[in-house]
Amino acid sequence: MPDYTGRFAPSPTGPLHFGSLLTAVAGWCDARAAGGRWLVRIEDVDEVRTRPGASDDILRTLDAFGLTHDGEVRVQSRCKARYQAALEQLQRQGDVFWCRCTRSDLARFGQSVYPGLCRLHTSPLNNAAVRLRVPAPCPQHFPDRVLGEQREDVAAVTGDFVIRRRDGFFAYQLAVVVDDAEQGVTHIVRGADLLDNTCRQIYLQQRLGYSTPDYAHIPLIVNAKGEKLSKQTGALGLDAAHAGKLIWLALDLLGQSPDAALARETPTVILTEAVRRWQITRVPSGLQLPADKRVPVDDAYNH
Ligand SMILES: [Zn+2]
């Protein structure tokens, strides 16, 4: 195994937009600067949200932007047996229970922490979610390469969390942790919208006997209202005809100060130079980065 294996893990809910490009460029440069591998994984574990054709569209965009990946693309919807095996391991360890609480049942407790109501249901029940038992306290911490030291008591923030949903789909938390371990991922570079999942994922890694990767959370591009770029907030898909300019803009926002003259080059030339000069410590260390006028959004957003 190489010393560095990174990954980019988009959800196929629509085309890539500038916010996802920012994360992809950061992860790609970080992996290549370390001489490492960069994998791509399609996170379609939530099949309800998957849009037909979106995966192919994302892969074509990465290709057009020169963001080359290594190895086969892993697709979560084809890995359910792996998630099931992990769930069974947790069950053998006495780490899980089945829960039929509805949202309104839980709302009566008036807090976001699961109150442990179903902890005695340690044998499978139909039409029930599977939750991971979280002991109290459950202090976790990790050194984020962009944001610095992060701490959370998982018991105080979420408590016992869902690893397989009531509708039968595996939860994002379980799928990601199994995927990263099986793909040998050592370094995770992803958007800061996922920061508050990290301590739960670290606890899950510990229960499954996996090692914990290094994390770097990249600030989210937000509009004037502080909303993350998405189709809903008017982010356009990425036009391959402007690939070089958009990569240059991403590097500029990532604090890498690319030479102005590079903006007219091809993506490959720009990325090669970016890898040579890449320093993740120069990425702005905030959760949000206000979009500037150069970020591609549609008219509804600009007005
Ligand atoms: Zn319950």
Side-chain angles (χ1 to χ4, degrees):
M1 278 291 184
D3 295 339
Y4 187 120
T5 298
R7 47 62 156 194
F8 179 60
S11 298
T13 54
L16 286 189
H17 56 71
F18 188 77
S20 20
L21 179 70
L22 194 78
T23 307
V25 167
W28 191 91
C29 289
D30 198 55
R32 298 314 188 199
R37 299 192 301 155
W38 194 67
L39 312 179
V40 170
R41 178 165 83 224
I42 297 296
E43 296 204 329
D44 60 349
V45 71
D46 186 350
E47 294 175 46
V48 181
R49 291 177 62 230
T50 298
R51 220 199 60 189
S55 297
D56 290 343
D57 189 49
I58 288 169
L59 296 173
R60 266 197 307 274
T61 302
L62 290 174
D63 207 40
F65 280 69
L67 298 164
T68 52
H69 65 268
D70 299 298
E72 296 254 314
V73 174
R74 181 170 168 121
V75 179
Q76 287 185 326
S77 57
R78 297 184 201 142
C79 298
K80 292 177 198 171
R82 309 303 309 155
Y83 310 143
Q84 181 62 32
L87 190 149
E88 285 167 13
Q89 178 189 337
L90 294 166
Q91 185 186 358
R92 284 193 300 275
Q93 294 170 184
D95 280 320
V96 300
F97 61 90
W98 276 256
C99 167
R100 282 182 179 156
C101 296
T102 61
R103 261 176 223 277
S104 57
D105 290 338
L106 298 176
R108 275 186 282 132
F109 290 85
Q111 54 181 5
S112 56
V113 179
Y114 180 75
L117 301 173
C118 302
R119 279 187 163 192
L120 294 176
H121 298 156
T122 52
S123 305
L125 287 175
N126 290 329
N127 188 27
V130 181
R131 286 182 186 268
L132 185 77
R133 181 190 297 272
V134 176
C138 182
Q140 301 294 337
H141 69 100
F142 64 97
D144 191 281
R145 294 166 64 219
V146 171
L147 301 173
E149 183 71 9
Q150 303 291 310
R151 298 183 168 277
E152 180 183 296
D153 178 357
V154 178
V157 176
T158 54
D160 308 331
F161 56 90
V162 172
I163 58 169
R164 200 187 68 200
R165 296 169 8 179
R166 196 175 177 140
D167 61 13
F169 289 117
F170 289 96
Y172 166 74
Q173 312 295 352
L174 181 69
V176 165
V177 163
V178 171
D179 291 337
D180 286 333
E182 293 192 348
Q183 295 189 284
V185 170
T186 59
H187 290 75
I188 294 178
V189 176
R190 61 184 181 186
D193 52 334
L194 294 167
L195 178 67
D196 62 4
N197 292 264
T198 308
C199 284
R200 266 176 286 168
Q201 292 173 9
I202 291 172
Y203 181 61
L204 204 38
Q205 288 155 5
Q206 292 164 356
R207 296 313 304 154
L208 287 164
Y210 301 156
S211 51
T212 291
D214 285 348
Y215 287 94
H217 288 88
I218 301 299
L220 300 181
I221 302 276
V222 294
N223 66 18
K225 292 183 203 150
E227 296 164 338
K228 180 191 166 189
L229 285 196
S230 68
K231 286 192 298 297
Q232 289 73 29
T233 56
L236 290 182
L238 298 171
D239 183 352
H242 302 301
K245 226 158 55 182
L246 293 168
I247 288 175
W248 188 94
L249 175 55
L251 290 165
D252 194 36
L253 290 169
L254 288 166
Q256 304 300 307
S257 313
D259 283 343
L262 269 182
R264 288 186 297 273
E265 295 289 348
T266 62
T268 308
V269 170
I270 301 171
L271 286 168
T272 304
E273 181 60 13
V275 165
R276 208 176 58 77
R277 300 177 46 162
W278 176 253
Q279 285 184 45
I280 204 163
T281 50
R282 292 165 73 180
V283 174
S285 64
L287 299 181
Q288 299 187 342
L289 202 56
D292 67 19
K293 289 203 169 59
R294 300 170 295 173
V295 170
V297 291
D298 67 17
D299 286 348
Y301 168 78
N302 282 324
H303 300 295

